[in-house]
Amino acid sequence: LKGFVFSFSSILVVRTCVGLGNAANQMSSTLVLSDVSVPANRARTFSSSSVAMNVGKCLGPLLAGCISARAGVRMVFYVTGTLGLLGGLMSLAVPETAPKEVLDKAQAQTLTDQVSDATKMQYRLLQHTQMLSGLVVSLCASATVAGLTYNVLPHFLMDRLGAGV
């Protein structure tokens, strides 16, 4: 979508949609991985997923810089949009992974009740000091990775290695 924006307000709307999509992707991938992994292998499953996401965050700007240098800035958004659309279509083929009792409970509740239960559960989790500490550490790590990925790495590649020139 970003390849089609021409004003600040359209950029704001598109960035909001992209942010919501990224949040939904991370949440749904976590839920699916926890459903399909057994407790004994859960750490291995989540670490593999985390590595893949962070490698993608590091390689994405590098590849985007190469595409931008060769085909223009808008081409980056067309390529990533196409890949995102393909990923979304592929996600439709993923079978339901929730246990039957969870599905039965979800069907018995209204959407308002489900949102209310989820909000109460999140609030209870944030009451625990360890959970809050983990979230703060995760936020700091994400901010560091994003800062390095989007600022330091591209400047280093352009300055020292002549990439993108």
Side-chain angles (χ1 to χ4, degrees):
L1 291 175
K2 289 183 196 174
F4 299 106
V5 298
F6 295 100
S7 68
F8 177 75
S9 58
S10 60
I11 289 174
L12 187 63
V13 169
V14 169
R15 273 303 291 156
T16 301
C17 292
V18 168
L20 290 172
N22 286 338
N25 178 37
Q26 287 186 333
M27 181 188 64
S28 63
S29 67
T30 301
L31 291 173
V32 168
L33 289 174
S34 65
D35 283 347
V36 299
S37 63
V38 295
N41 291 333
R42 196 158 288 154
R44 185 180 310 139
T45 302
F46 277 99
S47 65
S48 300
S49 173
S50 181
V51 166
M53 285 187 179
N54 286 312
V55 166
K57 287 178 185 177
C58 291
L59 291 180
L62 178 65
L63 296 174
C66 293
I67 292 170
S68 176
R70 301 218 188 270
V73 174
R74 290 195 182 275
M75 184 56 70
V76 173
F77 299 114
Y78 298 140
V79 169
T80 56
T82 302
L83 292 174
L85 183 63
L86 288 173
L89 292 173
M90 287 171 49
S91 71
L92 296 175
V94 175
E96 179 59 61
T97 59
K100 185 175 178 354
E101 57 270 5
V102 172
L103 291 174
D104 292 341
K105 181 182 176 190
Q107 290 173 349
Q109 287 184 319
T110 65
L111 180 61
T112 307
D113 292 338
Q114 290 176 16
V115 170
S116 175
D117 287 350
T119 304
K120 288 176 188 173
M121 184 183 69
Q122 291 295 329
Y123 181 74
R124 282 194 306 266
L125 284 174
L126 290 176
Q127 299 291 316
H128 297 287
T129 308
Q130 294 93 349
M131 179 61 74
L132 198 53
S133 300
L135 288 173
V136 169
V137 168
S138 180
L139 174 68
C140 292
S142 295
T144 303
V145 168
L148 287 172
T149 302
Y150 297 119
N151 295 314
V152 176
L153 184 62
H155 287 285
F156 174 79
L157 290 172
M158 288 189 292
D159 258 3
R160 305 282 187 214
L161 304 177
V165 177

